[in-house]
Amino acid sequence: DLMLYGGAAGGGKTDLIAGLSLFAHHRVAIYRDTLKSMKGLRDRMNSIMRSAGMGRITGNPPQWVGPDDRSIEFGHLGAPGAEEDWQGQPHDLKAFDEGAQLDPRKIIYVMGWLRKERPNPRCRAVIATNPPLGGQGDYLLEWFGPWLDPLHRLYGTVAPGELLWAVFIDDGD
């Protein structure tokens, strides 16, 4: 599944990623444009983890290894070729924070290894983002047009939360 969760600051995007990462998935990768920009997300996750007695995220790059070999890795996709560092690494959750700031080709590339190693976890990719600004993130209107774009041929016929199947034909189309 690929889900877009958007909205203004304070809309729960960080908590969605934190909750799914800590409680609904086994092997997680969370991406932003830079590692430095992850500080707020890591701080929020550490706060939740502290109250649940789950340890904390540490290291550079940051990561967490929990019981039953659960893991959360943090990565960036801003530098040229950064997506290639994630080639072949399976995760049952790939979360893209501030997705409007990321290159859609890199998201597609990294999602190519979205898979589970255990029978139970659901495989899911989440793009959490503020509204696109100045053309940055326009790909989100294309990818999620049936729900967002009044000019899309399916707009108005698709219920909120309804699942659709899509195929990338060429370079993100």
Side-chain angles (χ1 to χ4, degrees):
D1 295 343
L2 173 60
M3 177 177 72
L4 173 66
Y5 189 83
K13 297 178 296 294
T14 297
D15 282 356
L16 172 69
I17 290 174
L20 289 173
S21 299
L22 293 169
F23 303 110
H25 287 276
H26 188 80
R27 212 171 128 87
V28 176
I30 302 172
Y31 305 94
R32 267 194 117 176
D33 191 45
T34 66
L35 280 177
K36 185 177 181 179
S37 65
M38 292 257 196
K39 183 178 181 339
L41 176 63
R42 286 192 324 262
D43 289 349
R44 177 65 179 138
M45 290 180 75
N46 277 330
S47 173
I48 294 168
M49 294 166 72
R50 202 170 24 258
S51 67
M54 299 173 73
R56 60 190 310 261
I57 297 161
T58 59
N60 190 16
Q63 65 178 352
W64 174 74
V65 177
D68 197 24
D69 292 326
R70 294 181 62 221
S71 67
I72 300 172
E73 299 176 87
F74 293 80
H76 68 88
L77 295 176
E83 71 279 12
E84 294 173 11
D85 293 342
W86 297 91
Q87 182 174 347
Q89 295 187 40
H91 298 95
D92 52 79
L93 171 63
K94 292 191 181 272
F96 304 91
D97 193 28
E98 297 299 345
Q101 298 174 4
L102 299 174
D103 182 332
R105 294 167 297 183
K106 292 183 177 191
I107 291 174
I108 291 169
Y109 186 90
V110 169
M111 282 193 318
W113 287 276
L114 180 65
R115 65 181 186 268
K116 57 187 175 180
E117 297 177 314
R118 295 173 165 250
N120 292 336
R122 168 184 180 178
C123 285
R124 168 179 10 214
V126 174
I127 300 174
T129 190
N130 291 312
L133 297 172
Q136 185 182 44
D138 282 351
Y139 76 93
L140 295 168
L141 295 174
E142 295 174 26
W143 290 11
F144 297 94
W147 298 272
L148 301 175
D149 183 0
L151 299 177
H152 191 281
R153 65 181 179 82
L154 294 177
Y155 184 81
T157 66
V158 179
E162 183 177 345
L163 296 179
L164 295 180
W165 292 94
V167 176
F168 290 107
I169 298 168
D170 181 37
D171 198 26
D173 291 336

